[in-house]
Amino acid sequence: MIRILYSWQVEPEKLELFIETWKRTTNRIHKEVEGARGGFMLQNDKDTKEIKTIARWDSLNDWKIFWHDGNHSQMGSMHDLGERTSVEIFREIDDFTR
């Protein structure tokens, strides 16, 4: 498993719509794209404009196929609402969440 950590800057007036758009987009990708396992969203407590979205994928190859096949266009409306400032890839070592 891998996790992709996307960092975003979202203005307060766009945050609610950004969250709703992220939910729809993530659920659609999870249902339609091989290897996509969903994700979660975090907001920085001190800088509420800073949002992290963390997606879980079966493999790095599945995620790369998603990007190279152009399926990432599903994320376009999120880019209209916030600025993605970075993308980081992490290999999942273990997960004790329930």
Side-chain angles (χ1 to χ4, degrees):
M1 291 285 174
I2 65 163
R3 303 277 182 145
I4 308 297
L5 190 148
Y6 301 93
S7 297
W8 301 86
Q9 286 291 310
V10 181
E11 295 300 321
E13 65 273 10
K14 295 181 178 180
L15 183 59
E16 188 175 324
L17 186 54
F18 181 86
I19 292 168
E20 290 305 314
T21 301
W22 176 83
K23 286 178 188 179
R24 279 193 316 275
T25 302
T26 296
N27 286 326
R28 186 170 56 243
I29 291 169
H30 183 214
K31 289 178 184 174
E32 296 175 1
V33 179
E34 180 78 24
R37 296 290 165 231
F40 60 95
M41 178 184 287
L42 304 169
Q43 183 178 40
N44 186 315
D45 189 54
K46 292 182 180 174
D47 177 5
T48 57
K49 292 180 184 180
E50 182 182 358
I51 303 295
K52 304 285 187 189
T53 57
I54 297 92
R56 189 177 199 199
W57 288 82
D58 285 341
S59 70
L60 181 58
N61 191 55
D62 287 332
W63 180 74
K64 286 181 176 179
I65 290 169
F66 167 73
W67 281 97
H68 289 106
D69 284 352
N71 290 334
H72 62 277
S73 62
Q74 297 176 29
M75 296 178 67
S77 52
M78 291 174 59
H79 290 274
D80 294 337
L81 300 167
E83 176 189 358
R84 190 178 67 207
T85 58
S86 69
V87 177
E88 298 175 89
I89 301 167
F90 293 87
R91 298 206 181 281
E92 186 176 306
I93 295 171
D94 218 331
D95 182 354
F96 290 101
T97 58
R98 295 182 192 247

